[in-house]
């Protein structure tokens, strides 16, 4: 890997890994360019894995599988715990690397590193608490014993928007369960994954237990791995479109799938909400990672009585944000990941404006270098505009006025997605009653941030299958085995 000289001081050179990581060996190479989204300039170049490399990674994961599975849970736990400690020790370098390659503001990058490391600590603890079951049949005449076994080799595919946390949210439970893994990070943000693999090596993860591959041929490489009967799990985080393709591919060899896909979160503000709290929550739910989050508030439904005050308050807050490169400590809103991302946001906003929406701030891409889109608030947005159906993945808050509870429930559920939703109300009974009728995997009530390693993260409808984190996250990497036992 080459690393742009200008940035060599930003992150600990010890974290600059050399390329593919297979069977505990580093294999340098080139072919995948990593750009600084704040300038479009080359940041680094990393290796481009071939299908043969992927097959070697499966071989390495297979060779390490029996040993890792047999490693006592306490020992697996301690390795994860030291990986957590190393990430914490190197938090500032990792955050800088994330800010550099992803573009998110340092404050968000620091938050991500803490969140990401926490998955290792959480699963270091869960590794020693894998549940089992003993019960008697209803007739009372037989015994049922249920054990949980590691599912086998897991392929982990992650997106660019949380380069550290989406990887640890999978590696943590997989390793805790006793599985070996092959991680394929997003091409835009591979540096963080390689840096974390370096730390994993230092933490004592045995060769072959974690393998990391970057590739310009994700489809071909993944299909080849899924066709290998030794691979028993696919855990994917990314768009619903790619998720559908992978589910179809995995069906060919009946591979178990966990899917963390796209979202279209409604953010509902009732008349009786605490306005300041709702605005604080809205800024977090919308602007964490400059809106590039699957849980990002995508549609603001605000009740008529509080609507105008909410629009004014949100506009003032969005206007006050400082835009700049993520690695500038003063930045509050960094660039988007690519020029294509800016184009998509521009299309959605332009279509909304043409349909009658009004921008109270922002509304056009910035023309300077880099992939910047300014914080934007849209009011009077038609409820059927394309911006209400598609993931914006950017710093744009479209606001829709509503009158009744039934109306907002219908609007909130009018989407193929069901990942996250938010409700602000001082009346908890109302919030819970409405919340029960919202089709979502996660609901924030008077909270703008719900991600927590100790909680089950995931969606319903086309937002995914399965849950990551929490007590059940480890079971995604295990198979129950039933023993019918008489004595
Ligand atoms: P994406 O385009 O679906 O890519 C995600 C990952 O899949 C990348 O590593 C990508 O590799 C890889 N990929 C692309 N095509 C593939 C194929 N045919 N076979 C195998 N792998 C393939 O998504 P993204 O743009 O990176 O991420 C944004 C999306 O992720 C949004 O929809 C967001 O909501 C979702 N997301 C969901 C969650 C959640 O927990 N539910 C969390 C974060 C993000 P390349 O980079 O090499 O193309």
């Amino acid at each position: 890997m080459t690393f742009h000289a200008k940035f060599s001081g930003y992150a600990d050179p010890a974290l600059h890994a050399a390329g593919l990581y297979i069977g505990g060996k580093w294999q340098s190479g080139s072919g995948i360019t990593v750009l600084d989204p704040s300038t479009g300039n080359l940041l680094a170049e990393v290796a481009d894995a071939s299908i043969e490399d992927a097959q070697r990674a499966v071989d390495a994961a297979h060779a390490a599988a029996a040993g890792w599975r047999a490693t006592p849970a306490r020992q697996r736990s301690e390795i994860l715990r030291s990986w957590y400690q190393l990430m914490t020790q190197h938090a500032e370098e990792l955050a800088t690397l994330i800010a550099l390659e992803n573009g998110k503001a340092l404050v968000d990058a620091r938050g991500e590193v803490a969140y990401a490391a926490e998955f290792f600590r959480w699963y270091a603890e869960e590794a020693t608490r894998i549940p089992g079951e003993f019960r008697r049949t209803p007739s009372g005449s037989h015994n049922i014993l249920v054990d949980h076994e590691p599912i086998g080799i897991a392929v982990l595919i992650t997106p660019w928007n949380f380069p550290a946390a989406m990887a640890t949210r999978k590696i943590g439970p997989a390793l805790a369960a006793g599985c070996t893994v092959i991680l394929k990070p997003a091409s835009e943000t591979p540096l963080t994954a390689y840096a974390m693999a370096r730390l994993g090596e230092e933490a004592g993860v045995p060769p072959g237990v974690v393998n990391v591959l970057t590739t310009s041929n994700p489809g071909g490489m993944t299909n080849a791995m899924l066709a290998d009967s030794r691979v028993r799990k696919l855990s994917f985080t990314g768009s619903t479109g790619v998720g559908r393709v992978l589910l179809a591919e995995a069906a060919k060899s009946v591979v178990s799938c966990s899917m963390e896909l796209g979202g279209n979160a409604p953010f509902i503000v009732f008349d009786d909400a605490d306005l300041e709290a709702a605005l604080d929550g809205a800024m977090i739910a919308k602007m964490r990672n400059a809106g590039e989050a699957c849980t990002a508030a995508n549609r603001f439904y605000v009740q008529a009585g509080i609507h105008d005050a909410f629009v004014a308050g949100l506009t003032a807050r969005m206007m006050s944000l400082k835009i700049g490169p993520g690695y500038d400590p003063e930045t509050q809103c960094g660039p988007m990941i690519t020029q294509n991302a800016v184009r998509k946001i521009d299309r959605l906003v332009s279509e909304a404006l043409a349909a009658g929406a009004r921008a109270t701030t922002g509304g056009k891409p910035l023309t300077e270098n880099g992939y910047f889109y300014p914080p934007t608030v849209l009011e009077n947005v038609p409820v059927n505009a394309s911006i209400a159906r598609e993931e914006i993945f950017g710093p744009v808050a479209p606001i829709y006025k509503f009158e009744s509870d039934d109306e907002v429930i219908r609007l909130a559920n009018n989407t193929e997605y069901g990942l996250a939703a938010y409700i602000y109300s001082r009346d908890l009974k109302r919030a819970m009653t409405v919340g029960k009728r919202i089709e979502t995997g996660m609901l924030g009530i008077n909270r703008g941030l719900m991600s927590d390693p100790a909680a089950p993260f995931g969606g319903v409808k086309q937002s995914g299958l399965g849950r990551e984190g929490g007590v059940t996250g480890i079971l995604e990497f295990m198979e129950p085995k039933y023993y019918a036992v008489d004595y």
Side-chain angles (χ1 to χ4, degrees):
M1 186 192 79
T2 53
F3 204 80
H4 199 287
K6 182 176 164 201
F7 299 110
S8 57
Y10 277 95
D12 182 346
L15 294 178
H16 295 171
L20 310 179
Y21 183 56
I22 301 173
K25 296 205 169 61
W26 293 92
Q27 180 187 318
S28 59
S30 58
I32 295 188
T33 52
V34 186
L35 304 182
D36 171 357
S38 67
T39 58
N41 293 340
L42 182 72
L43 203 55
E45 195 167 342
V46 299
D48 185 357
S50 64
I51 288 181
E52 292 69 42
D53 291 323
Q55 279 156 349
R56 284 197 303 111
V58 176
D59 291 344
H62 179 67
W68 186 245
R69 190 186 172 107
T71 302
R74 174 66 72 207
Q75 213 174 317
R76 294 203 299 265
S77 161
E78 278 163 7
I79 290 173
L80 282 171
R81 176 79 191 198
S82 25
W83 205 349
Y84 155 77
Q85 277 159 343
L86 284 164
M87 279 188 70
T88 306
Q89 268 166 33
H90 289 273
E92 200 54 24
E93 297 103 297
L94 287 171
T96 308
L97 210 47
I98 293 172
L100 274 168
E101 64 176 354
N102 168 279
K104 68 177 70 175
L106 259 181
V107 59
D108 286 332
R110 289 181 182 127
E112 181 183 346
V113 174
Y115 174 54
E118 204 55 50
F119 281 105
F120 286 156
R121 180 155 69 165
W122 174 259
Y123 282 108
E125 290 157 357
E126 291 302 294
T128 58
R129 294 182 198 135
I130 293 168
E133 202 180 310
F134 177 85
R135 61 172 73 206
R136 292 186 69 79
T137 56
S139 67
S141 39
H142 302 290
N143 302 303
I144 294 171
L145 243 105
V146 183
D147 186 20
H148 288 101
E149 296 187 343
I151 196 165
I153 298 176
V155 171
L156 316 176
I157 303 179
T158 51
W160 47 263
N161 67 336
F162 287 91
M166 297 303 94
T168 60
R169 203 165 76 175
K170 297 183 189 306
I171 297 171
L175 265 54
C179 297
T180 56
V181 305
I182 298 146
L183 171 69
K184 196 221 81 65
S187 303
E188 290 89 351
T189 56
L191 306 179
T192 306
Y194 284 130
M196 288 196 310
R198 267 282 188 245
L199 296 178
E201 211 176 16
E202 208 179 318
V205 176
V209 170
V210 173
N211 305 277
V212 186
L213 301 176
T214 35
T215 180
S216 60
N217 177 18
M221 192 178 100
T222 308
N223 296 354
M225 291 194 285
L226 290 176
D228 188 318
S229 60
R230 295 171 295 177
V231 170
R232 295 314 312 146
K233 179 79 194 181
L234 170 64
S235 177
F236 171 76
T237 298
S239 60
T240 296
V242 173
R244 281 189 202 110
V245 170
L246 288 173
L247 279 168
E249 196 58 39
K252 291 181 186 163
S253 24
V254 195
V255 170
S256 163
C257 290
S258 297
M259 293 273 147
E260 294 288 349
L261 307 178
N264 183 6
F267 189 104
I268 301 168
V269 186
F270 286 110
D271 280 347
D272 61 12
D274 175 334
L275 177 62
E276 287 305 308
L279 288 168
D280 288 346
M283 289 303 287
I284 297 169
K286 180 75 256 179
M287 293 306 294
R288 191 166 64 118
N289 290 354
E292 292 178 317
C294 52
T295 50
N298 211 53
R299 298 170 288 156
F300 286 86
Y301 295 115
V302 185
Q303 206 165 11
I306 202 171
H307 174 270
D308 292 356
F310 185 86
V311 172
L314 193 64
T315 303
R317 287 172 191 235
M318 292 284 267
M319 284 172 86
S320 73
L321 295 179
K322 187 166 182 312
I323 303 168
Y327 44 83
D328 177 343
E330 301 214 332
T331 293
Q332 293 167 299
C333 178
M336 303 296 94
I337 189 74
T338 55
Q339 194 59 51
N340 268 347
V342 174
R343 281 194 204 105
K344 179 186 178 188
I345 299 165
D346 189 32
R347 172 179 63 79
L348 291 174
V349 171
S350 303
E351 286 171 8
L353 292 172
R358 189 177 80 85
T360 61
T361 184
K364 275 198 207 82
L366 299 175
T367 49
E368 290 132 52
N369 284 345
Y371 316 136
F372 289 97
Y373 198 94
T376 294
V377 177
L378 302 176
E379 63 171 350
N380 198 31
V381 187
V383 292
N384 57 357
S386 48
I387 203 165
R389 294 192 305 272
E390 296 181 39
E391 266 189 304
I392 305 167
F393 244 58
V396 179
I399 301 180
Y400 312 82
K401 198 190 279 187
F402 75 91
E403 302 284 343
S404 72
D405 293 14
D406 281 346
E407 179 192 3
V408 80
I409 291 166
R410 186 176 49 75
L411 289 169
N413 289 338
N414 186 22
T415 170
E416 68 191 16
Y417 297 108
L419 185 63
Y422 305 85
I423 295 178
Y424 272 78
S425 169
R426 284 198 176 92
D427 180 348
L428 191 55
K429 183 171 179 190
R430 179 191 204 176
M432 291 295 288
T433 309
V434 170
K436 258 186 151 352
R437 293 173 60 197
I438 305 281
E439 297 158 358
T440 183
M442 299 176 286
L443 179 65
I445 295 185
N446 298 319
R447 293 250 335 246
L449 177 67
M450 55 186 65
S451 304
D452 190 317
F457 189 106
V460 300
K461 294 159 78 176
Q462 296 196 33
S463 283
L465 298 169
R467 294 293 181 270
E468 291 189 323
V471 175
T472 51
I474 197 166
L475 297 179
E476 301 276 327
F477 292 93
M478 308 201 86
E479 287 281 23
K481 186 176 208 168
Y482 157 49
Y483 295 83
V485 183
D486 279 349
Y487 53 86

